[in-house]
Amino acid sequence: VAAAPNSQANPLIRKLESITDLTPEERQALLALPMRVHDVRADQDIVREGDRPSQCCLLLEGFAARFKFTDKGKRQIFAFHTPGDIPDMLSLQLKTMDHSLGTLTPCKLGFIQHDHMRELLRQHPGLTDVFWRDTLIDAAIFREWILGLGRRDAKTRVAHLFCEMVMRLRAVGLEQGNTVPLPLTQNEVSDALGLSTVHVNRTLQALRGENLVEWDKGVLTVLDWKGLKLTGEFEPTYLHQDREHLAA
Amino acid sequence: VAAAPNSQANPLIRKLESITDLTPEERQALLALPMRVHDVRADQDIVREGDRPSQCCLLLEGFAARFKFTDKGKRQIFAFHTPGDIPDMLSLQLKTMDHSLGTLTPCKLGFIQHDHMRELLRQHPGLTDVFWRDTLIDAAIFREWILGLGRRDAKTRVAHLFCEMVMRLRAVGLEQGNTVPLPLTQNEVSDALGLSTVHVNRTLQALRGENLVEWDKGVLTVLDWKGLKLTGEFEPTYLHQDREHLAA
DNA sequence: CGCCTATTTGATCTGATTCAAACAATGTGG
DNA sequence: CCACATTGTTTGAATCAGATCAAATAGGCG
């Protein structure tokens, strides 16, 4: 089944089709989903902890992150988001945000009213399963991060993060050769991996020294995918990018 | 609206009503959900990483945990489960298990065929939202653990875990006075909090020394709830136990 | 050019790990 | 009912991965 003309250009559809199959009707309905598109500059909060949003936001271009601060003012990043993600889809079910969402780079965002989203799901109940599945994969990624934070050392964590980002960016067509965009600062990585910026810097030097990766000007180049997977203990099952779940 | 006679005894309904409102029909359908009940002894795997289950399991009595091992053989526990939880509900949407589920104590389990669960959701679409919401709260708990593992010290982590378990056990009616059942070993706690058993032991002595809690023979006694919340930086919003989400 | 932000380096410190052994509690079989 | 095995808790000492502090360097950009 060929995709609708512009569906490959639509990162949401691209993303959902990386984890499930959509019917033509579902694809059509997603393309017709009303949204207000805005450009937002880097380092802006989109929703904050405590907010009660009446819309959710589709990331069309750029990188975003979800995060929260400790009482002592330390930041922890929970997730990096890439085009096609709806990072605050959960606000449809959970009224109060328990964490914040912000841009890391300039972003193009599509804001979707909850009412419109609910109407979409009412008319296409199959999409509820799709989005439910997507939030479950989100949770699987959280678990993998828990494993890393709890039981893996710095080098393994960094390598694992790189592998994960490559796989996810590949799934939405942002990989070019052995290269993906990864416009994060070392400080942002450290806040995601529970490390200090200094230590992340030194760990990167180690990975570079072993000729596993190159990471410069927001572009990550994988020099040795096998080696990177090995040092990152990366096993992509948890991303559930296969679609074999459809075979009963 | 009064609950059906035996619904308070049904931990699933009890749990779901702690996070949402059920219609009488939904409650009835849940009570009628066909399940095979089994007793399982402690430290048994229920599902393993890589499995492709055709059923999911409702925890009726006892404590269970979800976990995974590092390549280097270190265990990380992702979640502690209490009566009313369906820890592997995700297997309904994700075909292959990316982690394992096992008992921590002797448990009574109700096994529900996926087919029956799907039929239930088909007949009561509102329940899809309820379970979706539940898995989103699950993910919120994962995020809070990420925050702890990444950015909080040992004492804060242990205190936070105690607060969380108290809130969750209270929600399903297992709190008695200032006491909850918490039949975990210090080693299990250490595998959940990313610490060594030795350090957990010393941290517990510190919490005891400050007269915050007592924890003996599987029973946790909170001596100073306010103090415990404070040292654990515990803010229960993320558990979404309020049901005010229904007010549009 | 000068400002601002990000990366890098060096030195020191510490929270937590590791290793090893003692101790306590509970259960088991003779 | 006791000897003993097993599992969990506790203690002590040595060590280390990663944090912290402070300062230098490098890029981008108005």
Side-chain angles (χ1 to χ4, degrees):
Chain A
V1 177
N6 53 345
S7 79
Q8 282 312 303
N10 181 309
L12 174 60
I13 290 179
R14 181 95 196 216
K15 193 253 171 91
L16 295 179
E17 292 200 317
S18 80
I19 58 162
T20 197
D21 285 328
L22 299 172
T23 67
E25 297 76 38
E26 287 167 348
R27 215 162 22 227
Q28 198 43 54
L30 284 167
L31 285 169
L33 188 59
M35 64 178 74
R36 295 191 344 271
V37 176
H38 283 277
D39 284 299
V40 177
R41 63 184 194 287
D43 296 310
Q44 298 300 300
D45 286 354
I46 303 167
V47 242
R48 276 199 200 82
E49 190 183 341
D51 283 357
R52 300 154 150 272
S54 59
Q55 55 184 12
C56 45
C57 107
L58 165 60
L59 184 51
L60 293 164
E61 286 172 24
F63 278 67
R66 292 196 273 164
F67 57 89
K68 187 169 171 177
F69 289 90
T70 268
D71 283 6
K72 283 148 196 134
K74 300 187 169 184
R75 179 174 66 165
Q76 175 66 45
I77 290 178
F78 300 126
F80 292 120
H81 287 285
T82 59
D85 288 349
I86 305 181
D88 57 348
M89 186 71 174
L90 78 176
S91 64
L92 202 65
Q93 295 291 341
L94 304 176
K95 201 171 167 61
T96 305
M97 288 295 291
D98 55 45
H99 62 282
S100 301
L101 166 65
T103 60
L104 299 177
T105 66
C107 286
K108 190 186 285 283
L109 302 175
F111 289 95
I112 305 158
Q113 288 298 128
H114 281 171
D115 290 342
H116 292 142
M117 186 60 89
R118 278 190 247 274
E119 181 59 17
L120 172 75
L121 299 181
R122 206 188 56 70
Q123 299 208 344
H124 301 270
L127 285 178
T128 302
D129 284 330
V130 173
F131 284 117
W132 186 5
R133 181 172 154 86
D134 182 53
T135 61
L136 285 167
I137 294 173
D138 226 57
I141 297 175
F142 291 150
R143 283 192 297 274
E144 198 65 24
W145 283 35
I146 289 176
L147 179 61
L149 287 165
R151 291 300 186 213
R152 297 206 253 242
D153 63 19
K155 199 161 89 174
T156 313
R157 276 185 235 181
V158 175
H160 193 280
L161 176 65
F162 283 163
C163 290
E164 179 179 302
M165 293 312 290
V166 166
M167 290 294 287
R168 289 178 48 206
L169 289 163
R170 182 182 294 168
V172 288
L174 290 173
E175 190 185 39
Q176 306 223 344
N178 59 347
T179 260
V180 292
L182 198 70
L184 311 174
T185 66
Q186 292 182 10
N187 186 46
E188 282 154 359
V189 169
S190 77
D191 280 343
L193 300 183
L195 299 167
S196 68
T197 313
V198 171
H199 199 59
V200 164
N201 182 281
R202 289 179 173 134
T203 306
L204 288 170
Q205 295 179 40
L207 293 177
R208 237 183 277 139
E210 296 177 35
N211 284 306
L212 296 174
V213 290
E214 198 108 311
W215 184 29
D216 194 39
K217 294 187 223 311
V219 174
L220 180 74
T221 306
V222 177
L223 302 174
D224 176 2
W225 176 246
K226 221 170 188 173
L228 189 65
K229 274 179 60 172
L230 204 66
T231 84
E233 304 189 351
F234 184 73
E235 195 44 64
T237 321
Y238 74 100
L239 292 172
H240 299 273
Q241 283 181 355
D242 48 76
R243 270 165 304 165
E244 27 115 22
H245 69 286
L246 296 171
Chain B
V1 177
N6 52 344
S7 78
Q8 283 311 306
N10 182 310
L12 174 59
I13 291 180
R14 180 97 195 214
K15 192 249 171 91
L16 295 179
E17 293 201 314
S18 80
I19 58 163
T20 196
D21 284 328
L22 299 171
T23 66
E25 297 75 36
E26 287 168 347
R27 215 164 19 228
Q28 196 45 52
L30 285 166
L31 285 169
L33 188 59
M35 65 178 73
R36 294 192 345 271
V37 176
H38 283 277
D39 284 299
V40 178
R41 61 186 195 287
D43 297 309
Q44 298 299 298
D45 286 355
I46 302 167
V47 243
R48 275 200 202 81
E49 189 182 342
D51 283 358
R52 300 153 149 273
S54 60
Q55 55 184 10
C56 45
C57 107
L58 164 61
L59 184 50
L60 294 164
E61 286 171 22
F63 278 67
R66 292 196 274 163
F67 56 90
K68 189 169 170 176
F69 289 90
T70 269
D71 283 7
K72 284 149 196 135
K74 299 187 172 187
R75 180 173 67 164
Q76 176 66 45
I77 290 178
F78 300 125
F80 292 119
H81 287 285
T82 60
D85 288 349
I86 304 181
D88 57 349
M89 186 73 173
L90 78 176
S91 64
L92 201 67
Q93 295 290 341
L94 305 175
K95 201 173 166 58
T96 305
M97 287 295 291
D98 55 45
H99 63 281
S100 301
L101 166 65
T103 58
L104 299 177
T105 66
C107 286
K108 189 185 286 282
L109 303 174
F111 290 96
I112 303 158
Q113 288 299 129
H114 282 172
D115 291 342
H116 291 142
M117 186 60 88
R118 279 190 246 273
E119 181 59 18
L120 173 74
L121 298 181
R122 206 188 56 70
Q123 299 208 345
H124 301 270
L127 285 178
T128 302
D129 284 331
V130 173
F131 283 117
W132 187 4
R133 179 172 155 89
D134 182 53
T135 61
L136 285 167
I137 294 173
D138 227 55
I141 296 176
F142 291 150
R143 283 192 298 274
E144 197 65 25
W145 282 37
I146 289 176
L147 179 62
L149 287 165
R151 291 300 185 212
R152 296 207 253 242
D153 64 18
K155 200 161 88 174
T156 313
R157 278 185 233 180
V158 175
H160 192 281
L161 177 65
F162 283 163
C163 289
E164 178 178 304
M165 293 311 291
V166 166
M167 289 295 287
R168 289 178 48 206
L169 289 162
R170 182 183 294 167
V172 288
L174 290 173
E175 190 187 40
Q176 307 223 341
N178 59 347
T179 259
V180 292
L182 198 71
L184 312 174
T185 66
Q186 293 181 10
N187 186 45
E188 283 154 357
V189 169
S190 77
D191 280 344
L193 300 183
L195 299 167
S196 68
T197 312
V198 170
H199 199 57
V200 165
N201 182 280
R202 289 181 174 134
T203 306
L204 287 170
Q205 294 178 41
L207 293 178
R208 238 182 279 139
E210 295 177 36
N211 284 306
L212 296 174
V213 291
E214 197 106 315
W215 185 28
D216 194 40
K217 295 187 221 315
V219 174
L220 180 74
T221 306
V222 178
L223 302 175
D224 176 2
W225 177 245
K226 222 170 188 171
L228 189 65
K229 275 179 61 174
L230 205 66
T231 85
E233 302 189 352
F234 184 74
E235 195 43 63
T237 321
Y238 74 100
L239 292 172
H240 298 273
Q241 282 182 355
D242 49 79
R243 270 165 307 167
E244 30 114 21
H245 69 287
L246 296 171

